[in-house]
Amino acid sequence: MALRSIAMAAGANPGAGAVAVYALEFGASSLRSLEALPHIGAVIGGDDTERIQRLFRTLAEHLDDRSDRYAAVNAASLSEYRQVTGNLDEPRIIVLIDGFGQFRSDWELGHGRGEFYQIFMRIVGEGRPLGVHVVATADRFGAVPTAISANITQRVVLRMADEQAYNVLGVARDVLSERSAPGRAIIKGNEAQIAVLGGTANVAEQTALATSWAEELRASGAPQAASIRSLPQVLDEAELPDAFNGQPVIGLSDATLGPCGFEPVGTFVVAGPPQSGKTTALRSMVNSLHRANPATQFFHIGGRRAELRGWRTWSGIANGPTEARQFAKDMLDLVADDSMPGKMVFVIENFAEFAGSDAERPLKELLKAINRSDHFLIADGDINSLSSSFGLLGELKASRHGLALKPDAYDGDSLFKVPFPRVKRHEFPPGRGFMVQNGQRALVHLPLVEQ
């Protein structure tokens, strides 16, 4: 209730200056009703890792940018900057965290998350004069560590379950009791009552009033706060450009929500569990390579269950280990010949099927030659079948270049020796995963290409 009231009050007077509010819900989903208001940029659930990361990246950029701009005009705070420049469109940013204890538990430690918690710590320490503020709730006094509480400038103490908590929080212990009305609080040593929109405790009525008020605010010219977007669940291939930064495009990047290129040299592994989008990823990458360089020659190697054999016209095809053995021998000299014009791309489906077969040695020699050339090989396989780092599988993964679809946290070390953040497979739709190249990982989403 207190967070909802603070969020609403923040945008009640647009004429005094722009405000943007972003809410993170780690408790009950009680802030969704705020989304209708124009100054609410986003209400993000605690399980939406992607958008939480993007929010903190955006806030870090704001801190860097504002620090430089405010210093340039000798302004020590957002208020001074507005006075000096007359720019009331520079928004005061408020981050609401409902359930700080859970937020800290989820984000303080763990590879790939701790860096974002450090951004939060930076906001707490540096954000106030730059107009970036944090308002957080905690269900017990011990949930907020000293490093955070030392930077808290104001507390709103509601009724506590433990009477000793009042002493720890530095307020009188005889003001609030179990008989106190919901919303009764101690603020700056005084007893107060938290206001709610319409004076009603009914959430449905508050939501209806908030929606009506949002229309009034927009009609009066209140600006819309910038949203925190996310990668799409489904991506159309036609939405991507033919190339990006001189490279073929694999999909959209989580970092920019824009196109992401890949380096078409050496070997590239596409790994994932069943129904993760491996085959459609191969189709998408082949189409992208063709758009970027229509003169490319494409070759296909597959076993009995190869789905791409009849998908397009290939410059050469090998079916099964016996044909693959001879094909690899025939192509070895061509790949190794630097004087040969044009680019060749090899696509191998169900790569692990050839490990331990008669084709293993010739294919291993072909992969070595490709890794020394400017040609390219893409191979896919179930993530469990690609765990080995020896023989043919080891040669495929030697470049540490590829894509892990619907990954687990351990797949990065297994496939590329690059750690992945703490993730859960079910959070990834088909076609989404981590791409690794040059030792760096990036979350990408690939288009779904139908047969």
Side-chain angles (χ1 to χ4, degrees), residues 174-221:
D174 59 349
V175 176
L176 303 177
S177 69
E178 65 275 5
R179 294 186 298 275
S180 297
R184 190 62 54 86
I186 301 175
I187 304 175
K188 296 182 178 180
N190 298 312
E191 185 177 7
Q193 179 67 37
I194 303 296
V196 294
L197 186 63
T200 174
N202 187 298
V203 176
E205 292 181 16
Q206 288 185 28
T207 301
L209 290 169
T211 302
S212 176
W213 186 38
E215 295 174 357
E216 294 179 16
L217 288 173
R218 287 192 173 88
S220 66

Side-chain angles (χ1 to χ4, degrees), residues 7 18 49 53 58 69 73-74 95 109 115 122 128 171 183 191-192 220 241 253 272 285 328 344 354 376 399 432:
T49 303
Q53 291 176 339
T58 301
R69 287 191 291 109
V73 296
N74 297 318
V95 182
L109 301 175
E115 60 187 281
R122 185 185 169 199
R128 189 165 181 262
V171 299
E191 185 177 7
S220 66
S253 165
M285 292 181 71
M344 293 185 289
F354 298 94
F376 191 47
S399 64
R432 185 170 301 177

Side-chain angles (χ1 to χ4, degrees), residues 123-383:
I123 294 169
V124 172
E126 305 174 19
R128 189 165 181 262
L130 298 175
V132 183
H133 310 270
V134 173
V135 181
T137 65
D139 57 2
R140 52 189 177 83
F141 66 88
V144 182
T146 303
I148 300 296
S149 61
N151 288 287
I152 293 175
T153 57
Q154 185 169 320
R155 290 185 177 89
V156 176
V157 180
L158 297 162
R159 187 177 67 230
M160 305 294 293
D162 181 2
E163 287 191 4
Q164 297 302 318
Y166 298 115
N167 292 332
V168 176
L169 294 170
V171 299
R173 58 184 298 179
D174 59 349
V175 176
L176 303 177
S177 69
E178 65 275 5
R179 294 186 298 275
S180 297
R184 190 62 54 86
I186 301 175
I187 304 175
K188 296 182 178 180
N190 298 312
E191 185 177 7
Q193 179 67 37
I194 303 296
V196 294
L197 186 63
T200 174
N202 187 298
V203 176
E205 292 181 16
Q206 288 185 28
T207 301
L209 290 169
T211 302
S212 176
W213 186 38
E215 295 174 357
E216 294 179 16
L217 288 173
R218 287 192 173 88
S220 66
Q224 177 65 50
S227 64
I228 301 298
R229 297 183 296 140
S230 60
L231 289 170
Q233 294 294 304
V234 179
L235 176 63
D236 189 337
E237 192 176 26
E239 298 177 36
L240 297 175
D242 292 343
F244 181 73
N245 288 339
Q247 294 182 334
V249 176
I250 193 168
L252 295 180
S253 165
D254 167 66
T256 63
L257 296 181
C260 176
F262 66 98
E263 188 176 7
V265 176
T267 56
F268 188 102
V269 57
V270 177
Q275 305 300 315
S276 60
K278 296 188 297 294
T279 301
T280 194
L282 295 181
R283 291 194 190 106
S284 173
M285 292 181 71
V286 168
N287 286 346
S288 181
L289 288 161
H290 178 75
R291 290 195 303 271
N293 183 4
T296 301
Q297 297 183 71
F298 294 93
F299 302 86
H300 180 268
I301 302 174
R304 290 178 291 110
R305 298 182 179 179
E307 296 184 37
L308 301 183
R309 186 179 297 121
W311 168 60
R312 59 164 290 149
T313 300
W314 301 94
S315 299
I317 292 177
N319 299 325
T322 302
E323 291 187 16
R325 180 175 181 270
Q326 187 59 48
F327 176 83
K329 290 181 178 180
D330 295 341
M331 298 303 297
L332 182 60
D333 291 339
L334 294 177
V335 170
D337 188 353
D338 293 336
S339 65
M340 287 289 295
K343 187 178 185 69
M344 293 185 289
V345 173
F346 301 86
V347 178
I348 304 181
E349 287 190 79
N350 303 317
F351 186 82
E353 184 177 329
F354 298 94
S357 71
D358 293 341
E360 176 163 359
R361 185 179 294 275
L363 282 174
K364 186 176 180 181
E365 293 302 317
L366 179 62
L367 264 63
K368 288 182 178 179
I370 291 172
N371 277 324
R372 293 191 296 264
S373 73
D374 290 331
H375 302 296
F376 191 47
L377 181 144
I378 316 168
D380 83 329
D382 187 277
I383 205 153

